[in-house]
Amino acid sequence: MNITQSIISGRDRALIGGDYSNYHTQSTRRIHTIRKRLGVTTPKGKKYTPKGPITPQDVAKNAEWVHLLLTSAERAWADAMHMKSSQSPENTQKPMPGATKRQIVSRFRRAIAYAANLVEVLEDQSTTNATNQDVLEAKAYMALLKGGLDFERNRWSSCIRHYSFIRLVYTALASQARSDLYRDLLEGTIDPSIRYAAYQEKLPRTKAVSDIAIENFPSEETQSRQDILNADASAFRTSAEEATAQSEGATDLPTSLDWRGRRVKLEDASISQALAAASAKETAIAQTYTSFQNGSTSAKDLAAGYDDIVNARQDAADATKIVIDELLAEGAGAGDSRIQGLQVTRTAVNYAVIAWRIGRNRVLCGDSDGLKLESHRPRRVQKDSKAANSKSLKEEPTGRKIARLREKVALYDSILQNLQAVKQLPGVIADTTFMEELDSKGAYFRALKCLAIGRSHAINGQVRNALALFARAQNLSQKVTSQAEASDVPKSDISATQLQAVQNYLTSLTLQYQALADLTSHSSKHSSQTKQYAPPLLERLHLNQYDDNVDLKNIVNYPPKLQPIPMKPLFFDLAWDYIQYPGQQATPLTTSTTTTSATATEEPKQAQAEEAPKKRGWFGFGR
């Protein structure tokens, strides 16, 4: 049912564009929509009657009842959080009123009642067909609401107990899930709440959060404990037991470390154990990388494996620093052999951390370090709604292509920053050979960065800019020297095969865009040399423009050509007799067909006596 996923995604969508009040409003609309689909809305004009609890039989008929319970609980929770945020002393500069505190507690209890109904329904797995994970997530959600209520009422012991249950459930589920949903919940909400409640209970700060959660796990949750162990067998193992198991299970802990032709002895057990744990995870990621090449594992999952190795290597680096600080506190000088050996160990371990970070970014860049621009599968667009089968392929938009190139540039920048961080490690600046290797690797990734930026210019049609960047990338790639063989898992080393592929591709791409730039320049010159039609000087006199170089061969059109000229339309001649202007006497026209001889003899006399004024046309000419 993905209870946790639906809750967190709903909260994120609502809180990104608004506050808890917006989330409360969205939950209310969603509840109304679900009730309409279930057919349990209150008809208009009838009084509202409270509904009874939802039964497993209801869920068996329609799973929308589960969403109704979750949404109702979330609405009550959002109402409580809205009152808490709006009436907090940070916003009002006043203590929170007691009535508001009681309302917040009432909303939390209402949400807990809905969550308890959900747990009761899902525990009947034979009727609802719910899985053990669904029951665990429902119980964890109810414990999350109870822990929030205890947090508001300052009941720290009960708060630790509820949050401990949540932590163990989400830790077990996170070991099986590929997403970071449960890890984000643990790091952002659960662990800080446990740590704060433990501080209020005056528990030692040195005790790990995992140990606090295991010690305060509710004893009555025996079935949940068994389900958690089925999901993760090591869920209830404390940090001391974990360290003991690692020391007993590791038959060959590393006793020495090689770095740049120098071997140092590992005298501290914590460093050896951290390096052994990192080596085990490095062995596991080799299988993950093989499945990634086969296409069964995504790049994000492979990057998550890299993150585990980086964290394990970082633990070894932290352990080395702690040992160095302890020796310095005891009075050991910088010339002590133990300090010098630990400094070499620290440099080697930190370089391994950076190398795995670079490998992670290289995997995210794409195949062959992002050398070629991957074309995403085009989306099918239906042209005609009448023809359901007539669909056409839509090309990926330019903005999306440039956005993917921008992500690659950000990854290359991160790699270059990591290479610069290597130079700050102790003893690196004095090793000239190693510095040359770092500069060579930097030139390789700068070439790929120029390639990505040049592609963005090429997509926008800026051929010259793209050519300049491609040529720069080609020159940088010629400065790279490969001193490593091809490794199974990408890290910071560059193999000869990869380097040769990049150099060949950049050479062909540069030649291609040189040809395109030549064609563009020739076409622009031809277009500039092509004479455009210019009207003769006689036709441009009315423009009132000064011409420095008058073309004496283009004064008039000779021989003259047949051209249209402006003329007065015949319609105005016919309409002139019927137009009467202000201040002008009307001259009526006689159009009778039956005229007598008397009127015929009188018309010439009247014409001579009263001579009508002459009218003129548009251009002052008589008609």
Side-chain angles (χ1 to χ4, degrees):
M1 294 182 184
N2 296 327
I3 295 174
T4 308
Q5 175 68 31
S6 61
I7 291 170
I8 300 303
S9 60
R11 290 182 181 180
D12 291 342
R13 284 195 302 268
L15 297 179
I16 284 175
D19 54 0
Y20 294 106
S21 177
N22 185 26
Y23 187 37
H24 178 271
T25 305
Q26 290 185 8
S27 301
T28 302
R29 288 199 298 264
R30 179 166 172 76
I31 288 173
H32 184 66
T33 303
I34 295 174
R35 285 188 176 277
K36 285 179 64 177
R37 287 203 294 261
L38 294 173
V40 292
T41 57
T42 303
K44 292 184 178 180
K46 290 189 177 182
K47 187 178 180 181
Y48 172 77
T49 56
K51 307 295 188 299
I54 296 174
T55 61
Q57 289 73 20
D58 295 332
V59 177
K61 294 178 182 178
N62 195 338
E64 288 284 345
W65 289 103
V66 175
H67 297 286
L68 180 61
L69 287 173
L70 284 175
T71 310
S72 301
E74 282 295 287
R75 180 175 65 172
W77 175 84
D79 195 9
M81 297 304 295
H82 172 64
M83 286 188 289
K84 179 182 176 181
S85 60
S86 60
Q87 298 294 329
S88 62
E90 291 81 3
N91 294 332
T92 60
Q93 304 300 324
K94 297 178 182 179
M96 184 179 293
T100 304
K101 292 182 180 180
R102 289 191 294 271
Q103 283 182 334
I104 292 174
V105 171
S106 175
R107 296 302 183 275
F108 267 109
R109 286 176 176 171
R110 182 179 297 178
I112 292 170
Y114 285 119
N117 190 5
L118 176 63
V119 172
E120 182 183 357
V121 167
L122 294 182
E123 281 182 342
D124 190 358
Q125 299 183 17
S126 60
T127 305
T128 59
N129 295 326
T131 61
N132 293 333
Q133 181 176 347
D134 295 334
V135 177
L136 281 177
E137 288 189 8
K139 289 183 177 180
Y141 177 61
M142 183 175 65
L144 182 64
L145 296 174
K146 289 183 177 180
L149 177 60
D150 293 333
F151 200 93
E152 295 298 326
R153 303 181 70 180
N154 297 337
R155 296 180 176 179
W156 306 117
S157 177
S158 178
C159 179
I160 292 176
R161 195 161 56 251
H162 289 122
Y163 278 117
S164 298
F165 178 82
I166 303 168
R167 191 186 193 283
L168 288 169
V169 170
Y170 285 163
T171 302
L173 295 178
S175 62
Q176 297 180 345
R178 293 185 176 182
S179 62
D180 295 334
L181 174 66
Y182 302 108
R183 295 187 183 92
D184 295 341
L185 276 173
L186 291 173
E187 295 175 0
T189 305
I190 310 303
D191 288 353
S193 300
I194 294 177
R195 181 61 68 187
Y196 183 79
Y199 169 75
Q200 295 293 337
E201 285 289 300
K202 296 182 173 54
L203 297 179
R205 297 185 181 181
T206 56
K207 182 177 288 189
V209 176
S210 58
D211 295 343
I212 296 175
I214 292 172
E215 291 177 2
N216 292 274
F217 186 82
S219 58
E220 65 273 8
E221 293 288 347
T222 55
Q223 183 61 38
S224 299
R225 184 186 184 95
Q226 186 61 38
D227 294 338
I228 292 172
L229 288 173
N230 293 336
D232 186 7
S234 61
F236 288 90
R237 188 180 296 175
T238 61
S239 57
E241 294 174 353
E242 191 75 23
T244 304
Q246 288 182 359
S247 60
E248 292 177 355
T251 57
D252 51 349
L253 289 177
T255 58
S256 60
L257 181 67
D258 295 332
W259 170 251
R260 304 292 299 171
R262 181 176 177 179
R263 175 168 291 184
V264 294
K265 187 178 180 181
L266 299 176
E267 298 180 355
D268 193 85
S270 61
I271 302 175
S272 300
Q273 291 176 0
L275 290 177
S279 299
K281 293 183 178 181
E282 289 174 8
T283 305
I285 202 173
Q287 301 176 356
T288 307
Y289 185 71
T290 303
S291 61
F292 169 72
Q293 289 181 324
N294 297 334
S296 57
T297 304
S298 63
K300 291 185 178 180
D301 295 337
L302 182 60
Y306 272 89
D307 291 335
D308 295 338
I309 297 176
V310 169
N311 294 332
R313 287 285 183 177
Q314 188 63 49
D315 292 340
D318 295 339
T320 306
K321 185 178 183 301
I322 291 173
V323 175
I324 293 174
D325 294 340
E326 291 176 352
L327 289 176
L328 292 176
E330 293 175 359
D336 193 344
S337 60
R338 295 175 299 172
I339 296 294
Q340 292 181 355
L342 287 171
Q343 291 290 359
V344 174
T345 304
R346 183 181 179 184
T347 301
V349 173
N350 280 293
Y351 177 72
V353 172
I354 295 174
W356 284 103
R357 284 177 182 169
I358 293 174
R360 174 187 178 276
N361 292 336
R362 291 177 69 179
V363 168
L364 293 177
C365 286
D367 191 17
S368 301
D369 298 330
L371 181 62
K372 297 181 180 180
L373 183 63
E374 301 88 353
S375 58
H376 283 196
R377 186 169 58 183
R379 182 167 59 91
R380 289 188 176 273
V381 180
Q382 185 174 344
K383 284 187 174 181
D384 190 3
S385 59
K386 296 181 180 179
N389 296 327
S390 62
K391 295 182 179 179
S392 61
L393 295 178
K394 184 178 180 180
E395 188 180 358
E396 185 181 10
T398 302
R400 191 169 298 173
K401 292 181 182 178
I402 295 178
R404 290 196 288 115
L405 291 172
R406 191 181 294 113
E407 292 176 358
K408 283 188 179 182
V409 171
L411 292 172
Y412 294 139
D413 286 335
S414 178
I415 292 174
L416 293 173
Q417 291 175 4
N418 289 325
L419 291 175
Q420 290 296 325
V422 175
K423 298 180 181 180
Q424 307 299 326
L425 297 177
V428 173
I429 198 68
D431 193 345
T432 56
T433 305
F434 189 50
M435 289 292 293
E436 291 177 358
E437 291 181 11
L438 293 176
D439 293 336
S440 177
K441 293 176 181 178
Y444 175 80
F445 290 108
R446 282 199 300 272
L448 293 176
K449 179 182 175 181
C450 292
L451 173 62
I453 298 175
R455 279 204 175 103
S456 64
H457 286 278
I459 291 173
N460 289 327
Q462 301 173 356
V463 179
R464 294 183 180 179
N465 296 345
L467 174 60
L469 288 164
F470 293 154
R472 173 62 176 166
Q474 184 186 13
N475 294 335
L476 288 172
S477 65
Q478 300 299 328
K479 299 178 182 179
V480 182
T481 57
S482 176
Q483 298 180 358
E485 298 295 333
S487 59
D488 296 335
V489 182
K491 290 192 287 186
S492 62
D493 296 330
I494 303 168
S495 64
T497 305
Q498 292 173 338
L499 178 60
Q500 188 64 34
V502 170
Q503 290 176 347
N504 294 339
Y505 184 78
L506 289 175
T507 301
S508 61
L509 193 63
T510 305
L511 292 175
Q512 176 186 354
Y513 273 83
Q514 280 180 350
L516 290 175
D518 289 340
L519 290 175
T520 304
S521 61
H522 285 306
S523 62
S524 61
K525 288 180 181 178
H526 179 72
S527 61
S528 61
Q529 292 176 359
T530 303
K531 291 185 179 180
Q532 298 181 354
Y533 170 75
L537 181 62
L538 184 63
E539 298 180 5
R540 291 184 284 115
L541 292 178
H542 65 283
L543 297 179
N544 195 17
Q545 293 180 352
Y546 179 75
D547 196 353
D548 293 332
N549 299 318
V550 178
D551 188 7
L552 300 179
K553 297 182 179 179
N554 193 21
I555 298 177
V556 294
N557 282 327
Y558 186 83
K561 300 179 181 179
L562 183 62
Q563 294 180 351
I565 60 173
M567 291 185 61
K568 182 176 63 174
L570 182 62
F571 169 76
F572 291 101
D573 286 338
L574 296 176
W576 189 263
D577 295 332
Y578 299 92
I579 295 176
Q580 181 179 358
Y581 294 98
Q584 185 180 11
Q585 295 180 358
T587 56
L589 298 178
T590 57
T591 57
S592 176
T593 55
T594 59
T595 57
T596 58
S597 59
T599 55
T601 55
E602 290 179 356
E603 282 180 359
K605 295 180 180 179
Q606 291 179 357
Q608 294 178 1
E610 298 180 1
E611 187 174 354
K614 294 183 179 180
K615 298 181 181 179
R616 299 184 178 274
W618 275 5
F619 304 103
F621 303 106
R623 296 193 307 154

